[in-house]
Structures are given as C-alpha cells and as structure tokens.
Amino acid sequence: MRKAIGVIAACVLTATIARADIRFTDVTAEWGVDFTHTNGAFGQKYLPETMGSGVAVFDADGDDDLDLLFVNSTHWASQGRGDPPTAAFYRNVGGVFADQTVGSGFEEAMYGLGVAVGDYDQDGDRDVYVTCLGPDRLFRNDGDAVFTDVTAEAGLGNPSMATSAAWFDYDGDGLLDLYVCNYVEWSVETDIFCTLDGVKKSYCTPESYNGVSDILYRNHGNGTFSDVSASAGVEDATSKSLGVVAFDHNGDARPDIFVSNDTEPDKLYENIGDGAFEEIGMLAGVAFDESGIARAGMGVDAADFDRSGRPSLVVANFANEMISLLHNEGNGLFIDVAAPTQLGSASFLTLAFGCFFFDADSDGWPDMFVANGHVENDINAVQEKVHYEQRPHLFRNLEGGARFEDVAESAGFTDALVGRGAAYGDLDGDGDLDVVMTSNGGRARVYRNDSSAANALRVQLRGDRSSADAIGALVTVVAGEDTQTQAARAGGSYCSQSEAALTFGLGAAETATRVDVAFPSGRAYSYNHVAAGQTIEVVEGEGLTRQWGFDTP
C-alpha cells in the first residue's frame, strides 16, 4: 500500500545514532524466483560458457514496483537437446514475483550474456537490450510488460560476443544512445585447446584470441541507430571489454565512458563535445596497475564514495589481482586506493565480476557489493587457495571512505557461488536496497535488505528535453551538515542493470534540508525540507509531481 506523504518542514536530527546492523536474507524461494542459468557446458570448455549471465532490475510495466529479467544462455547446437532454455521475466505482483516469461516477448532462445535497460524511443516505457554471442537483440516495450524484438528494423544486431552495455546520451540531443562492449573473436570452429595441467582441456584466457572493437550506436530518434564508433573516436580492435559505465569524470556536464578490459589496458574516453571522445586512460592513471601491467577487468561502477563531490571508480579484477578503487583526484588523475582502504587484501584471492556502489545501511555513505566466482571449475587443483565457487563481498564504508570492511558473512551472504551478474533495487518498496545475483550454470539469488532501520529518501526522475530516463541528471541532497551527490546511472556492474531511482540514506535525519535536481538539459529544481521515508518524483518541465511513502514490513 502506497502512502501519500508531503514535502514538509521538520527538524533535522543532528545527534548520531548507533551504527546499524547490516543484514540480508535470502528470499529467493519466498519471493517466487526460481531461475537457474544454463551455460551449455558439456565438456568441450567453450570460452563463452564462463561469461554469463546478467540480470536487470527495472519497472517493466510502469506500476512503480520493480520487476526482474534474468538473461540466459542456451545449449550448443551440437548437443541436440530438447526445448532450449530462455530468459526468465518475473513480474512483481503484490510483493512476490510471478514468472510471466510466456507472453512477454522473451520466449526466444539465444546465447544471452548481458542486459541494459533504457527508454530509447521516449514513450515512457523502458526498453531492453540483450547482449549475446551474436547477434544482440533490442526489445521494445509496448506497454504492460510486453516486448517486441525490433533488432532488425532498428539497424542493430551486433554479431560479436558482446558482454556489458550502457544506454546514455553522449551528444546531448535528448535521445539515449547505446555503448556495447565486445569481448574477443571466438567461434566453435576457431576454438583453441588450452590446458592448466598439460593434459586436460581448460578454458582459455583472452590472450588466446584477438580482441574486437566496442560499438557506439547513435540514436536517430526515428527508431533506428547507426554505428558511429569510428567517427566518435571509440573504435579500438585491441579491446576485450567486459564492463562499462558512463559518468562525468571532470564535471563538464558531458558523459564520459570508462571501459574495463580483460588483459588489455582499461579505457577512459573523455567526451570532448561535438559527438567525439578522446581516450585518456593512460594519462588519467586508469589504464594499468601501479606496476604498469594491464589487469583482467570485469565489472565496473562509479560513485562519490567519500563525498569529495567527484565520482570515483571501482573495477572488479581477476583472482590474484586486487579490486581497483580508483579515486578521482579532481585534476584529471585517478589514484588506486584499494590497498590503503583495505579493499585490496580482502579481494586478492577472489575473482570478481558484478560490482556496484549502494548504501546498504542507509547511513549516507556508499558501500560496495561484489559478486565473485572463478571461470575454471577445477582451479583448486592447481591453485590451492583459489576456489571455483566463492562467497561475495559486501564492503562497508567506514571513516568517510577511508576504509572498507568486508561484512558479507555476518550480513548473511554466506553461500559460495559462481557469481556473475549483480544488481540492486528496492524490490519490496520499504526504502532500502535489496540485491539480486546470478550464478554461472547455477541458481540465482535474491536477498532482502533487513538491516536496522535508518532514514532514507528516494528520488525518481523523468526527463523531457533530456532523455526520458534522465540519464546523467545530478541530484544533491543536503541533510544538516551532510551533502550527498548521485547521478542517474548508465551502465555499471557486469552484464547487469540496477534500478533507475536514486536512494539517499539519511541516517538519523528525518528530513533533507534541501534537494537539488539538475537535468542534463540545464533545467534545475530545488526543494526545501523534504521528509524522509518517501519517494519523490521530479519530472523535467513540471517539477515535483508525485510522492509516496515506503511500505512497512
């Protein structure tokens, strides 16, 4: 039941509260989710089997409740099995999830890997792009959570092995464009024999294959797209990309692109205007590790984790490499602070894929979730300290971003999985952020956030001159002496999509002193004394249009 709450004046509580317990509960079965990923593995150890899959958390039907789409791979043609598995679409129905794949438009089998969600046609419904072992698919949302495959008529259908993708408006025309990460040149016919022990076949590392350029598709506003990778300056055939996030690294109100590559230098494409980018990864200090070696990067995300006013980066890396926490120094440089913040030692032996910043305990400081799992099922035979199934990390932000502590086990993330995709969203409408994670060849998990109560405010945005999703809009929330800034995100994590709404933990404060919203078009709105415990919707051209209270357990 949604409760109407007004924007009201109230006193700000400045007294501190005891640090809340962080607790998540596995509610996968309780909430009706029963998805198991199929990777097609049957002993041949084909490279794509290690990659999938992703998950999307989004409002598919416009009812303000979040739905779930699990991307699936499928069997290989040579296996000759029966009906192939498909993606799974779960609709949020009264607080539980109902499998409504049949009739949704997602019934067709494909070797899917990742997913990105965005309203590319500006009709108010969020559309879905699924990356695949080529060709990719674009599904237009026709309303009431019914989707139509419009790949061919849109001029899409990237034939390569695509992984993560991100919708964002790179040229400022108010239309969502699309960045697609491609991995390597691979096919069944060109598969290579690799081995860990000199006898049995193992999964090859990406060094065994040539890279493939990522693709930037420009949205023409008539339902069609064109590949502008070369003219925009992002074409690079050496790329072996697995993660992408669009964010404004230098505060010039133009979205830049960070791309994580697997054993190739990571890329930072700075948006220089006029539809063009300049690659500055080496100059910015993000291309290599401190020894000058290219890392094996997987998932990525961006957030202002220390309230510096600048978005920094997290990059999930391979086992025997630390997670990278690239702090934005504000002068065009990033410095890896994984070691001093204690992220490094905690993540050295895990192989990280999905990762994201989110405020797990609503204290106003972004925490970090990381899905872990190796790519080789018998890795423990050759590296005794490294395991195939691995427990995720939940890094709690302490001391204003100066230190992170892994509290995953005490918080309830006790199962070891072959983690891949990960996303967050307020699935039960109670104001805190829940977690969804996929497992390669295994069962997905849904975790309800049962952390001790703290105050929060959620902001939902809709654009007009800007893209309908308001991607790139900047929201600043002030509560007492605390100031937080978040941007409407594009991309992030690995092969996955988190919810669009922004959640601001307020800790003890029952009111936000001020909420400022700046849309990419330049339109801006400001509101004073906004009560916690609610979601507000701000629409470009109209301002504050709706507000509703959180559901209580």
Side-chain angles (χ1 to χ4, degrees), residues 323 343 346-347 367-368 370 393-397 404-406:
I323 288 174
L343 279 176
S347 62
D367 309 298
M368 188 191 308
V370 184
H393 296 303
L394 175 57
F395 290 110
R396 188 172 202 170
N397 188 331
F404 286 86
E405 179 185 8
D406 188 358

Side-chain angles (χ1 to χ4, degrees), residues 11-19 455 479-482 506-510:
C11 296
V12 176
L13 300 181
T14 57
T16 59
I17 58 174
R19 183 169 293 278
N455 295 313
E481 297 180 355
D482 296 331
L506 301 183
E510 295 182 347

Side-chain angles (χ1 to χ4, degrees), residues 168-178 216-221 225-226 228 232 253-257 271-277 465 467 471 520:
F168 74 122
D169 179 11
Y170 81 96
D171 53 1
D173 64 356
L175 300 170
L176 286 182
D177 310 297
L178 180 65
L216 177 60
Y217 291 107
R218 184 172 185 268
N219 187 343
H220 295 295
F225 295 78
S226 61
V228 295
R254 291 193 292 254
D256 311 300
I257 308 168
N271 192 328
I272 57 176
D274 295 325
F277 293 84
R465 290 180 185 170
S467 67
I471 296 296

Side-chain angles (χ1 to χ4, degrees), residues 172-189:
D173 64 356
L175 300 170
L176 286 182
D177 310 297
L178 180 65
Y179 191 97
V180 180
C181 292
N182 283 322
Y183 194 40
V184 296
E185 291 181 359
W186 181 92
S187 68
V188 171
E189 294 73 24

Side-chain angles (χ1 to χ4, degrees), residues 20-328:
D21 292 330
I22 298 181
R23 180 68 191 175
F24 285 80
T25 304
D26 185 339
V27 292
T28 312
E30 179 183 338
W31 282 2
V33 174
D34 183 21
F35 171 75
T36 298
H37 174 249
T38 298
N39 59 21
F42 67 114
Q44 295 301 305
K45 295 212 167 183
Y46 290 151
L47 177 64
E49 295 167 358
T50 68
M51 309 303 294
S53 67
V55 59
V57 177
F58 72 116
D59 182 2
D61 51 12
D63 64 355
D64 295 319
D65 292 323
L66 294 173
D67 310 297
L68 301 173
L69 176 66
F70 292 95
V71 178
N72 210 351
S73 305
T74 191
H75 304 304
W76 299 105
S78 59
Q79 291 180 266
R81 297 192 177 182
D83 292 339
T86 70
F89 174 64
Y90 287 88
R91 201 166 181 177
N92 191 329
V93 181
V96 296
F97 293 88
D99 188 339
Q100 296 191 5
T101 307
V102 176
S104 69
F106 294 116
E107 303 97 320
E108 184 179 353
M110 64 193 82
Y111 205 97
L113 295 174
V115 59
V117 179
D119 185 1
Y120 79 91
D121 54 2
Q122 298 281 93
D123 66 351
D125 298 315
R126 306 199 75 205
D127 311 296
V128 174
Y129 188 84
V130 178
T131 63
C132 302
L133 177 60
D136 297 346
R137 309 293 179 87
L138 175 62
F139 295 91
R140 184 187 65 215
N141 190 335
D142 294 327
D144 199 29
V146 175
F147 295 81
T148 300
D149 187 339
V150 295
T151 309
E153 64 190 72
L156 300 174
N158 166 40
S160 301
M161 187 196 307
T163 54
S164 298
W167 293 100
F168 74 122
D169 179 11
Y170 81 96
D171 53 1
D173 64 356
L175 300 170
L176 286 182
D177 310 297
L178 180 65
Y179 191 97
V180 180
C181 292
N182 283 322
Y183 194 40
V184 296
E185 291 181 359
W186 181 92
S187 68
V188 171
E189 294 73 24
T190 60
D191 184 64
I192 297 172
F193 181 90
C194 297
T195 180
L196 289 173
D197 60 9
V199 179
K200 296 181 296 182
K201 186 181 182 185
S202 65
Y203 289 109
C204 292
T205 63
E207 291 102 327
S208 302
Y209 298 96
N210 292 326
V212 181
S213 178
D214 298 343
I215 300 178
L216 177 60
Y217 291 107
R218 184 172 185 268
N219 187 343
H220 295 295
N222 59 0
T224 68
F225 295 78
S226 61
D227 181 347
V228 295
S229 309
S231 61
V234 301
E235 188 174 64
D236 182 354
T238 68
S239 294
K240 299 176 182 180
S241 302
L242 292 178
V244 59
V245 63
F247 75 123
D248 182 6
H249 89 92
N250 55 1
D252 65 357
R254 291 193 292 254
D256 311 300
I257 308 168
F258 178 83
V259 179
S260 60
N261 283 303
D262 193 354
T263 69
E264 295 290 338
D266 293 339
K267 307 291 185 183
L268 177 56
Y269 293 104
E270 184 173 85
N271 192 328
I272 57 176
D274 295 325
F277 293 84
E278 179 182 359
E279 205 288 298
I280 61 166
M282 187 178 297
L283 293 174
V286 301
F288 302 98
D289 68 12
E290 293 179 348
S291 302
I293 298 172
R295 293 158 289 212
M298 314 296 177
V300 301
D301 200 14
D304 180 9
F305 72 87
D306 61 349
R307 295 187 186 169
S308 66
R310 301 179 297 271
S312 296
L313 293 162
V314 60
V315 186
N317 294 318
F318 208 78
N320 301 309
E321 296 178 338
M322 299 185 299
I323 288 174
S324 301
L325 183 60
L326 303 172
H327 184 262
N328 189 338

Side-chain angles (χ1 to χ4, degrees), residues 319-375:
N320 301 309
E321 296 178 338
M322 299 185 299
I323 288 174
S324 301
L325 183 60
L326 303 172
H327 184 262
N328 189 338
E329 297 292 299
N331 56 2
L333 292 175
F334 290 76
I335 294 178
D336 192 346
V337 295
T341 59
Q342 300 181 20
L343 279 176
S345 57
S347 62
F348 186 73
L349 293 178
T350 50
L351 199 169
F353 275 88
C355 62
F356 52 77
F357 290 104
F358 78 135
D359 189 352
D361 52 3
S362 300
D363 67 349
W365 294 94
D367 309 298
M368 188 191 308
F369 182 85
V370 184
N372 299 312
H374 212 277
V375 297

